[in-house]
Amino acid sequence: NCHNHALGSGGQGELKRIPKPSVDTGAGLERLSAVMQGVTNNYDIDLFRKIVQAAATLAGTEDLTNPSLRVIADHIRACTFLI
């Protein structure tokens, strides 16, 4: 998942070295949060747990392992990027 960002588009299809190369580890906010909170998946981090719990309450279920709740939580997270 590691990507070395050293080249950029120079236009007309050529690649040129960028002035400040970097490395993208793919460790986004959710993945780093999972590591820091000692959980094994993104849906168990505190941010997602609150969304899953709220969705479960609205759906009238107590089964927090229902995959549909994770889909709802993920869609809500994705919607925040639209705002």
Side-chain angles (χ1 to χ4, degrees), residues 65-80:
T65 63
N66 185 327
S68 296
L69 296 175
R70 291 181 173 193
V71 171
I72 292 168
D74 192 52
H75 281 80
I76 291 171
R77 181 195 62 83
C79 286
T80 63

Side-chain angles (χ1 to χ4, degrees), residues 25-57:
T25 63
L29 176 62
E30 291 96 353
R31 289 180 184 176
L32 287 176
S33 296
V35 169
M36 296 299 294
Q37 294 176 27
V39 296
T40 58
N41 69 70
N42 294 349
Y43 297 102
D44 288 337
I45 64 173
D46 57 355
L47 297 171
F48 271 112
R49 275 196 314 258
K50 292 175 184 177
I51 297 171
V52 169
Q53 179 62 54
T57 300

Side-chain angles (χ1 to χ4, degrees), residues 1 12 14 20 34 42-43 51 75 83:
N1 222 6
Q12 299 178 352
E14 77 243 21
K20 294 185 178 182
N42 294 349
Y43 297 102
I51 297 171
H75 281 80
I83 297 174

